[in-house]
Amino acid sequence: MKTSAIYLLAGITVFLAGQSSAQLYVGPGSSLYIKSGMPLFADSLVLTPDADLFVSGFTIQKSDAPVTGTGGSSVSKVYSINPPLPFSGTAGIRFNAGDLNGNTASMLQIAYDTSNGFITTTGSTVNLATGYVSYIFGNAVPLARITAVNEGVTLSIPPTGPATTAVIAWPNPVRETLYIRLPGSSGRDAVLQLVNGDGKILGVTPCSQELVQMNMGNLPAGIYFIRYSDTSGEQVIKINRL
C-alpha cells in the first residue's frame, strides 16, 4: 500500500467535541510530519517538538474526567496518546477556571504518563494571564498521557495500553530512532533481535532496561522485524523503515 504523507510546516489545530473523543487521528495509511519548533494543537494540548517527528497510526484522545491521586486530582483535561509519542520539547495545556477541578492555577504542574504511571513535574511554568501551563522535556520520553495537577500531588491511575507482557515499538514506520518497550519482567533469558526481510539477524540488543532505543537510520529502507523472546514465548513485530 502506498503511504501518503501529511507534511506539517506550520501549526495545525484539531478540535472535536465530546466527553472522550479523538482530537487528532492519523490513520495507518497516512503519515504526519511535525517539523521541529512548529506547534501541534489538539484541543487545548500544545506540543512543540525540538526535533522533527514522523508518526503514523496515531491518535490523541481527550477525556474530561480528572485523574485521581494522593493529595488531589488533575484538571478536567486529560490527553491520551496512542501509541506513546517519543517527545522532547515543550508540552503545554491551556485551561480556564472551569477546568481546575479544585487545583490552584498558580501551582499547576504538567503531569505525564509513560505507560508506567504518572510523574508530576516540578519545573513547569504557568502563565496566569493566558491560562497556560507548560513543561520542557529536555530528553525524549514516550508520552502516553498528559494532564496538569497541583505541585506535590501524585496521580495514581493505572496504566493503559498493551498488557505488561506485550512488547510495543514506535514510531512505525520509522526513519531514525525506534523505541521499544519491553515487559517489566524481562530477565537474563530475554533476547531482542533485529532481523531483516531475508531472515538475517542484524543485531542483538540487551534487555537490561524496559525502554530500548534502536538506531534504524543507517539501514536501507524496507521491511524489518523485531523479535523478542523469553521463557514464556516469542513475539515478532514488523517494522517499516522509510
Side-chain angles (χ1 to χ4, degrees), residues 10 20 45 51 59 68 76 89 109 159 181 186 199 236-237:
S20 180
L45 176 65
T59 302
T68 59
S76 300
Q109 295 283 331
R181 184 169 70 81
S186 294
V236 178
I237 302 174

Side-chain angles (χ1 to χ4, degrees), residues 32-187:
L32 176 65
Y33 170 64
I34 309 170
K35 185 173 176 59
S36 172
M38 293 297 179
L40 170 68
F41 300 86
D43 188 72
S44 296
L45 176 65
V46 185
L47 299 175
T48 307
D50 61 13
D52 292 355
L53 291 176
F54 193 88
V55 297
S56 180
F58 176 76
T59 302
I60 298 179
Q61 189 172 32
K62 175 195 172 187
S63 173
D64 295 328
V67 180
T68 59
T70 303
S73 300
S74 77
V75 299
S76 300
K77 288 184 176 180
V78 182
Y79 296 90
S80 298
I81 304 173
N82 185 37
L85 177 68
F87 180 81
S88 61
T90 303
I93 296 176
R94 301 191 182 279
F95 63 88
N96 56 45
D99 301 320
L100 290 176
N101 187 39
N103 289 282
T104 302
S106 60
M107 294 180 62
L108 285 178
Q109 295 283 331
I110 290 293
Y112 65 97
D113 176 19
T114 61
S115 296
N116 292 304
F118 273 97
I119 298 171
T120 301
T121 63
T122 57
S124 296
T125 300
V126 179
N127 187 324
L128 294 176
T130 60
Y132 183 66
V133 55
S134 62
Y135 179 76
I136 299 175
F137 291 90
N139 298 311
V141 298
L143 289 181
R145 291 194 197 90
I146 188 166
T147 186
V149 70
N150 272 4
E151 185 174 355
V153 175
T154 302
L155 301 179
S156 56
I157 191 170
T160 62
T164 55
T165 56
V167 177
I168 60 173
W170 72 94
N172 190 13
V174 62
R175 288 187 183 276
E176 297 290 338
T177 303
L178 182 71
Y179 295 84
I180 306 165
R181 184 169 70 81
L182 303 176
S185 59
S186 294

Side-chain angles (χ1 to χ4, degrees), residues 17 26 37 39 66 97 169 171 179 187 209:
V26 181
Y179 295 84
Q209 54 188 8

